Amino acid sequence: MDKKEKGGILQTNQSLAPLLQPEYRLYIASRFLYIMGLRMVATIVAYKLFQLTKSSFAIGLVGLSEFIPVFAFALYAGHVIDKSDKRTLLLKGIFSYSLCVLALLLITSPFGEKTLSPKAMELSIYGVIFLTGFVRSFAGPTSNAIVAQLVPRDVLKYASNLSSSTWLAASIVGHASAGFFIAWFGVHNSFYIILTYILLACIFIYQIKKKPIAFSNSNIKAWESVKEGLRYVFRHKIMLGAISLDLFAVLFGGAVALIPEFAERILKVGPIGFGWLNAAIDIGSVVMIITMTFKPLQRKQGLILMYAVAGFGLCIIVFGLSNIYWVSFAALIIAGMLDGISVLVRGNIFQLTTPDEMRGRVSSVNSMFVNSSNELGQFESGITSRLLGGVVPAVLFGGCMTLLVVIIAWIKAPALRKFEY
């Protein structure tokens, strides 16, 4: 066996090394089930609301309903996360999400269908989604911050990659299976399956031991703690650049929010086709992240990140112009592969450069400006589809704005463009 072959085997073993840690395996199992359930909720709720209203604007309002609490509580959540046992806080968050799923189960039950008018049902769904946003403002950053406490430092990069791969694999299964479950069992019965997934996720997290608190200054006031986290991010030019680039790309490139209308009115496919379209970006992302886990980027990661986001914008434009299902599906697959590069580079920047005592706050800032941009992007897509007279102009506008963001970042963020790790 030559040295090159041995080197490849060694790299593969290192890539999977985090899975040797029992608690990390429990975390990955829980993360897969929780994210799968979460993505199924997003898909089924979007489908149900479009059936109730026949309007993509209603789907945009779902994004706004979730964005408001995520954005409003994210910074305070970071302070709480850093001062808390992350395992217990994550367990509470996932269990709280199961209660939200239970509420959706009741709203869409035969009793709910008889008791609630379509408008009341729509408003009730918005209310529950608002509560899920509050839960996610704590659970999401906690899930990212706890990784460093589950594996040794020397395999943290690989643990971050596997965590991202798990998130995306769960998104694929969640999006696609939601379409199948809607077709086979209906909206209401699908929530029973989701509730089972979330409760199983709770069981896995419960088996992880409580974790020590790395926060050194326990007497610091909440606002001072929040400002400390913000200062760290804004002084870290590489992290700030990556967050900003991803923020605006996701904000303007949120074509996924309009897929229910594309599927029904333009591509003319049923629930199964809708589910696969919804999963396409995640399919591409997980393929790319798995590839990069075993063959990581060796240099010029910042430059590749910018090219990837520009390519993502071009794919969104192709999706907006297409009226052929397989062309649209392929455009979203490629967009997902390029998005996977962005996810991986940004995730590694966070895990490798953030001090342990600030992981909650930095993760919450990231959640506030990037993860919540998915929901804000959903709202932006709903608004632009109304203002511009349809979903096609809205998606084309989003793709063009994504390209403009990359051009601005290229000029204004040379440190990110030259960044390597």
Side-chain angles (χ1 to χ4, degrees), residues 163-208:
S163 178
S164 297
S165 298
T166 300
W167 192 98
L168 290 163
S171 289
I172 293 169
V173 177
H175 276 317
S177 62
F180 286 110
F181 290 160
I182 291 170
W184 294 340
F185 309 122
V187 167
H188 173 63
N189 290 330
S190 296
F191 283 120
Y192 281 111
I193 300 171
I194 297 171
L195 184 60
T196 302
Y197 290 158
I198 302 300
L199 291 176
L200 285 172
C202 287
I203 292 171
F204 283 119
I205 291 296
Y206 181 77
Q207 295 178 69
I208 296 175

Side-chain angles (χ1 to χ4, degrees), residues 17 24 26 56 61 127 147 151 203 211 213 253 286 317 322 337 342:
Y24 184 76
L26 290 169
S56 290
L61 289 179
V147 173
V151 299
I203 292 171
K211 297 301 170 190
I213 300 169
V286 78
I317 291 172
S322 170
M337 294 176 72
S342 173

Side-chain angles (χ1 to χ4, degrees), residues 173-289:
V173 177
H175 276 317
S177 62
F180 286 110
F181 290 160
I182 291 170
W184 294 340
F185 309 122
V187 167
H188 173 63
N189 290 330
S190 296
F191 283 120
Y192 281 111
I193 300 171
I194 297 171
L195 184 60
T196 302
Y197 290 158
I198 302 300
L199 291 176
L200 285 172
C202 287
I203 292 171
F204 283 119
I205 291 296
Y206 181 77
Q207 295 178 69
I208 296 175
K209 294 180 181 179
K210 293 183 178 182
K211 297 301 170 190
I213 300 169
F215 198 66
S216 56
N217 188 356
S218 59
N219 296 321
I220 190 172
K221 293 182 179 179
W223 178 236
E224 289 301 318
S225 174
V226 165
K227 287 195 294 184
E228 193 175 83
L230 283 171
R231 279 195 299 268
Y232 178 84
V233 172
F234 280 94
R235 288 173 182 172
H236 196 301
K237 300 301 182 184
I238 302 299
M239 183 179 293
L240 179 62
I243 288 176
S244 301
L245 186 63
D246 206 9
L247 163 66
F248 290 105
V250 173
L251 175 62
F252 292 116
V256 174
L258 302 176
I259 283 178
E261 188 163 349
F262 268 92
E264 180 165 311
R265 294 182 177 172
I266 296 175
L267 302 175
K268 302 186 186 304
V269 295
I272 293 177
F274 158 68
W276 280 110
L277 278 177
N278 235 9
I281 284 183
D282 291 333
I283 292 173
S285 293
V286 78
V287 167
M288 181 58 69
I289 285 184

